[in-house]
Amino acid sequence: GNSVTQMEGPVTLSEEAFLTINCTYTATGYPSLFWYVQYPGEGLQLLLKATKADDKGSNKGFEATYRKETTSFHLEKGSVQVSDSAVYFCALVNTGFQKLVFGTGTRLLVSP
Amino acid sequence: DTAVSQTPKYLVTQMGNDKSIKCEQNLGHDTMYWYKQDSKKFLKIMFSYNNKELIINETVPNRFSPKSPDKAHLNLHINSLELGDSAVYFCASSQEALGGIGGYTFGSGTRLTVV
C-alpha cells in the first residue's frame, strides 16, 4: 500500500538555522508529493508540491525535491523564523486512488 | 470568502449523544473528504465523496454517517458518541479531474470533545 514516513519531532532550532525534515514514501506507480503545514489551532495549508520525479516544489523559502531513486521528498529551508513554528506533514496521492495519505507530522519549534 | 468552511469549530458533548458537523466548499471542487486527527496529530481519511457519491469509506464505525446533499456540501453525523471519538475532524476538497494532484484545500477543523 501507500505510506509516508517522517522523522520524529520535535525539531528545535534557533532563528536563522538551516532546516531539514526528512520524508520518505512507499507507493506503487508515480505519486504526487506534498508538504502541508499546520499552525497552532489552525487547519492544514498546502505548502508545496511536486508531481513528478526531479520536480522541485518551493514556497515561502521552503523547498523539497522529488527523488524517485531514494523515494524521498525532504523539506528544507535555509533560514527559519519563529513564525515557521508549526507541524509539518508530508503526504502523497496516487492518481486514481483519490486519497491523500499523510505522514505522522513533525513539529518544528523555532526560538528567537 | 472562506474556501472550505466547517461548523461548528468546537463541539463539547456527552457520551451517547448524536451530533453533526457541517462542511461547505465554494471552490467548485468535485470531491470532498473527512479526515480525523487524533491527539498525536495523526491524520487519517474517513470518507470521500465525488459528485455526491461515496468513493472512499475507510474502516470507520457505522456510527459515523456522511451525507452529501450536493457536491458543495459534505456533512458528518455521529451517533452514540464515545470518548474515543474525541478528535479534530477536518473537511477537505479537491478537483477530481486532477486526481488530487492539485492538492487538497482543508477547512479549519472541528474540535470534538466527548465527556
Side-chain angles (χ1 to χ4, degrees):
Chain A
N2 301 319
S3 66
V4 176
T5 302
Q6 285 182 241
M7 59 190 289
E8 290 243 3
V11 173
T12 305
L13 295 172
S14 298
E15 209 165 20
E16 299 184 4
F18 184 85
L19 168 71
T20 301
I21 300 178
N22 288 341
C23 170
T24 57
Y25 68 89
T26 302
T28 54
Y30 302 95
S32 294
L33 303 174
F34 304 84
W35 278 100
Y36 281 82
V37 59
Q38 185 177 26
Y39 296 103
E42 296 185 14
L44 286 89
Q45 300 173 28
L46 178 62
L47 181 59
L48 53 84
K49 67 177 183 180
T51 57
K52 60 183 189 296
D54 300 325
D55 265 3
K56 178 187 281 190
S58 60
N59 186 24
K60 299 181 182 179
F62 290 89
E63 291 184 341
T65 301
Y66 189 141
R67 302 278 187 208
K68 196 167 185 337
E69 63 276 14
T70 54
T71 62
S72 65
F73 193 54
H74 304 321
L75 183 68
E76 296 182 336
K77 187 175 185 183
S79 174
V80 292
Q81 305 300 312
V82 172
S83 57
D84 293 327
S85 297
V87 180
Y88 292 82
F89 293 91
C90 186
L92 69 82
V93 66
N94 234 334
T95 304
F97 290 91
Q98 300 292 313
K99 184 168 73 172
L100 192 60
V101 175
F102 286 93
T104 51
T106 302
R107 184 179 298 276
L108 171 65
L109 300 169
V110 181
S111 54
Chain B
D1 275 308
T2 306
V4 179
S5 59
Q6 293 179 230
T7 53
K9 192 170 172 66
Y10 300 97
L11 184 53
V12 181
T13 188
Q14 290 190 327
M15 271 197 321
N17 283 351
D18 303 338
K19 290 293 178 186
S20 291
I21 307 172
K22 295 187 176 182
C23 179
E24 176 181 3
Q25 55 96 4
N26 62 5
L27 297 165
H29 286 169
D30 293 324
T31 309
M32 296 184 72
Y33 312 82
W34 279 110
Y35 276 79
K36 179 180 180 180
Q37 186 176 46
D38 63 23
S39 57
K40 295 185 178 177
K41 299 289 189 185
F42 185 64
L43 281 151
K44 192 169 190 312
I45 191 167
M46 300 173 69
F47 302 103
S48 172
Y49 269 74
N50 175 259
N51 278 319
K52 303 191 295 175
E53 282 195 41
L54 182 67
I55 56 171
I56 294 174
N57 184 353
E58 294 291 290
T59 308
V60 175
N62 58 16
R63 297 181 296 103
F64 290 79
S65 53
K67 278 206 177 124
S68 183
D70 56 60
K71 75 172 193 176
H73 295 84
L74 180 61
N75 304 322
L76 183 65
H77 188 76
I78 316 169
N79 288 326
S80 304
L81 278 154
E82 301 178 357
L83 293 176
D85 298 331
S86 295
V88 181
Y89 293 84
F90 286 101
C91 178
S93 70
S94 72
Q95 185 61 283
E96 191 273 341
L98 296 176
I101 66 172
Y104 289 20
T105 302
F106 281 83
S108 56
T110 296
R111 182 175 294 276
L112 171 65
T113 304
V114 182
V115 297

